[in-house]
Amino acid sequence: MSQLLGIIQRLKAMQEGNEAGDIQQRRFEVNGKTLCQVKYFPATETFELEVYGDDKKTNKYQFDDIDITSIEIFDLVQEERNPS
């Protein structure tokens, strides 16, 4: 299974696991380093991607598309695994 497919499956599980209307969240890590956290808001059907920087600052991004969210997470993971 490709890494991108795994990310998409995790995000879909967040969408499907919202019967109670609770906000779902997942962390994505590489070698024990947390790169980002994703929250899914069922009321608005949006994802919030919180990216953790090396300087301990965070940036938050809102997405309403699972594919775009997946690609952003995939890019973060690839950058960490293959730094230039």
Side-chain angles (χ1 to χ4, degrees), residues 4 7-8 11 65-75:
L4 183 57
I7 293 169
I8 292 170
L11 296 180
D65 186 290
I66 193 169
D67 295 327
I68 301 294
T69 309
S70 301
I71 291 168
E72 290 295 324
I73 295 167
F74 179 79
D75 286 346

Side-chain angles (χ1 to χ4, degrees), residues 7-40:
I7 293 169
I8 292 170
Q9 288 177 339
R10 288 182 70 187
L11 296 180
K12 281 187 179 184
M14 292 172 70
Q15 288 178 320
E16 295 166 359
N18 66 4
E19 285 98 29
D22 296 332
I23 296 172
Q24 299 284 319
Q25 64 182 6
R26 302 283 188 281
R27 293 183 190 271
F28 290 85
E29 301 176 348
V30 172
N31 298 327
K33 178 183 177 184
T34 302
L35 303 177
C36 64
Q37 175 175 280
V38 180
K39 293 181 183 176
Y40 179 71

